Short mmCIF file of all heavy atoms in Angstrom, two decimals:
data_model
loop_
_atom_site.label_atom_id
_atom_site.label_comp_id
_atom_site.label_asym_id
_atom_site.label_seq_id
_atom_site.Cartn_x
_atom_site.Cartn_y
_atom_site.Cartn_z
N SER A 17 -54.66 110.96 -19.00
CA SER A 17 -54.94 109.71 -18.30
C SER A 17 -55.29 108.56 -19.23
O SER A 17 -55.22 107.40 -18.85
CB SER A 17 -56.09 109.92 -17.31
OG SER A 17 -57.26 110.36 -18.00
N SER A 113 -56.51 75.69 -26.47
CA SER A 113 -56.51 77.08 -26.95
C SER A 113 -55.28 77.37 -27.81
O SER A 113 -55.36 78.07 -28.82
CB SER A 113 -56.53 78.06 -25.77
OG SER A 113 -57.76 78.02 -25.10
N GLY A 118 -53.41 78.49 -33.24
CA GLY A 118 -52.34 78.21 -34.18
C GLY A 118 -50.93 78.43 -33.67
O GLY A 118 -50.02 78.72 -34.45
N SER A 128 -42.99 75.72 -23.34
CA SER A 128 -43.73 76.06 -22.12
C SER A 128 -44.75 74.99 -21.79
O SER A 128 -44.93 74.61 -20.62
CB SER A 128 -44.42 77.42 -22.29
OG SER A 128 -43.48 78.44 -22.48
N HIS A 131 -43.00 71.95 -20.36
CA HIS A 131 -42.63 72.19 -18.95
C HIS A 131 -43.86 72.11 -18.05
O HIS A 131 -43.78 71.59 -16.93
CB HIS A 131 -41.97 73.56 -18.83
CG HIS A 131 -41.57 73.91 -17.44
ND1 HIS A 131 -40.52 73.31 -16.80
CD2 HIS A 131 -42.11 74.77 -16.53
CE1 HIS A 131 -40.40 73.79 -15.57
NE2 HIS A 131 -41.36 74.68 -15.39
N GLU A 152 -38.75 70.99 -34.93
CA GLU A 152 -37.32 71.08 -34.59
C GLU A 152 -37.16 71.39 -33.11
O GLU A 152 -36.91 72.54 -32.72
CB GLU A 152 -36.63 72.16 -35.45
CG GLU A 152 -36.51 71.78 -36.91
CD GLU A 152 -35.70 72.80 -37.69
OE1 GLU A 152 -35.01 73.64 -37.07
OE2 GLU A 152 -35.77 72.77 -38.92
N LYS A 210 -18.57 59.73 -13.97
CA LYS A 210 -17.20 60.18 -14.26
C LYS A 210 -17.02 60.44 -15.76
O LYS A 210 -16.31 61.37 -16.16
CB LYS A 210 -16.19 59.13 -13.78
CG LYS A 210 -16.07 59.09 -12.26
CD LYS A 210 -14.94 58.19 -11.78
CE LYS A 210 -15.30 56.72 -11.88
NZ LYS A 210 -14.29 55.86 -11.22
N LYS A 254 -17.91 79.42 -5.51
CA LYS A 254 -18.29 78.44 -4.48
C LYS A 254 -19.50 78.98 -3.70
O LYS A 254 -19.41 80.03 -3.07
CB LYS A 254 -17.13 78.16 -3.53
CG LYS A 254 -15.92 77.53 -4.21
CD LYS A 254 -14.78 77.40 -3.23
CE LYS A 254 -13.57 76.76 -3.88
NZ LYS A 254 -12.94 77.62 -4.92
N VAL A 256 -22.93 78.18 -0.96
CA VAL A 256 -23.20 77.41 0.26
C VAL A 256 -23.50 75.96 -0.11
O VAL A 256 -23.10 75.03 0.61
CB VAL A 256 -24.40 78.02 1.04
CG1 VAL A 256 -24.73 77.16 2.24
CG2 VAL A 256 -24.09 79.42 1.48
N PHE A 257 -24.17 75.75 -1.27
CA PHE A 257 -24.47 74.38 -1.69
C PHE A 257 -23.19 73.60 -1.96
O PHE A 257 -23.09 72.42 -1.62
CB PHE A 257 -25.35 74.40 -2.95
CG PHE A 257 -25.81 73.05 -3.39
CD1 PHE A 257 -26.98 72.49 -2.89
CD2 PHE A 257 -25.07 72.29 -4.29
CE1 PHE A 257 -27.40 71.23 -3.27
CE2 PHE A 257 -25.47 71.03 -4.68
CZ PHE A 257 -26.65 70.50 -4.17
N LYS A 269 -18.90 59.59 5.00
CA LYS A 269 -17.75 58.67 5.09
C LYS A 269 -17.30 58.47 6.54
O LYS A 269 -16.37 57.71 6.80
CB LYS A 269 -16.58 59.21 4.27
CG LYS A 269 -16.76 59.04 2.77
CD LYS A 269 -15.45 59.13 2.03
CE LYS A 269 -14.68 57.84 2.10
NZ LYS A 269 -13.43 57.85 1.29
N MET A 282 -16.68 77.39 6.21
CA MET A 282 -17.69 77.68 5.19
C MET A 282 -18.69 78.76 5.63
O MET A 282 -18.91 78.97 6.82
CB MET A 282 -18.46 76.40 4.84
CG MET A 282 -19.35 75.88 5.95
SD MET A 282 -20.17 74.32 5.51
CE MET A 282 -21.44 74.90 4.41
N ASP A 316 -34.70 75.28 12.60
CA ASP A 316 -35.98 74.91 12.00
C ASP A 316 -36.43 73.56 12.59
O ASP A 316 -35.77 73.00 13.47
CB ASP A 316 -35.91 74.88 10.47
CG ASP A 316 -34.88 73.90 9.94
OD1 ASP A 316 -34.35 73.08 10.73
OD2 ASP A 316 -34.59 73.94 8.73
N GLU A 338 -37.69 66.53 27.26
CA GLU A 338 -37.41 67.91 27.65
C GLU A 338 -37.32 68.81 26.41
O GLU A 338 -37.82 69.94 26.40
CB GLU A 338 -36.09 67.98 28.42
CG GLU A 338 -36.18 67.43 29.84
CD GLU A 338 -34.80 67.20 30.47
OE1 GLU A 338 -33.79 67.64 29.86
OE2 GLU A 338 -34.73 66.59 31.54
N LEU A 427 -47.98 42.00 19.66
CA LEU A 427 -48.76 40.96 20.33
C LEU A 427 -47.83 39.95 21.01
O LEU A 427 -48.08 39.50 22.13
CB LEU A 427 -49.68 40.25 19.34
CG LEU A 427 -50.84 41.09 18.80
CD1 LEU A 427 -51.51 40.38 17.62
CD2 LEU A 427 -51.88 41.37 19.88
N ALA A 433 -49.36 35.09 22.16
CA ALA A 433 -48.75 34.30 21.09
C ALA A 433 -49.77 33.81 20.09
O ALA A 433 -49.56 33.90 18.87
CB ALA A 433 -47.99 33.12 21.69
N MET A 438 -52.30 34.04 14.71
CA MET A 438 -53.52 34.23 13.93
C MET A 438 -53.38 35.41 12.97
O MET A 438 -53.78 35.35 11.81
CB MET A 438 -54.72 34.46 14.85
CG MET A 438 -55.25 33.19 15.51
SD MET A 438 -56.52 33.55 16.74
CE MET A 438 -57.78 34.29 15.71
N VAL A 458 -42.90 36.20 14.94
CA VAL A 458 -43.69 34.99 15.22
C VAL A 458 -42.85 33.93 15.94
O VAL A 458 -43.37 33.18 16.78
CB VAL A 458 -44.32 34.40 13.92
CG1 VAL A 458 -45.47 35.27 13.47
CG2 VAL A 458 -43.31 34.21 12.82
N HIS A 586 -17.51 45.37 32.91
CA HIS A 586 -18.51 45.83 33.87
C HIS A 586 -19.90 45.61 33.29
O HIS A 586 -20.12 45.81 32.09
CB HIS A 586 -18.32 47.32 34.19
CG HIS A 586 -16.97 47.65 34.74
ND1 HIS A 586 -16.64 47.42 36.04
CD2 HIS A 586 -15.86 48.17 34.13
CE1 HIS A 586 -15.39 47.80 36.24
NE2 HIS A 586 -14.90 48.26 35.09
N LYS A 587 -20.80 45.24 34.15
CA LYS A 587 -22.19 45.10 33.72
C LYS A 587 -22.79 46.48 33.48
O LYS A 587 -22.59 47.40 34.27
CB LYS A 587 -23.00 44.37 34.82
CG LYS A 587 -24.46 44.15 34.45
CD LYS A 587 -25.22 43.51 35.59
CE LYS A 587 -26.70 43.38 35.23
NZ LYS A 587 -27.49 42.81 36.35
#
Side-chain angles (χ1 to χ4, degrees):
S17 60
S113 291
S128 297
H131 180 72
E152 290 186 15
K210 288 188 284 189
K254 297 175 179 67
V256 176
F257 185 88
K269 285 200 80 175
M282 69 183 284
D316 59 11
E338 286 167 9
L427 291 169
M438 283 173 63
V458 286
H586 302 281
K587 181 184 176 182

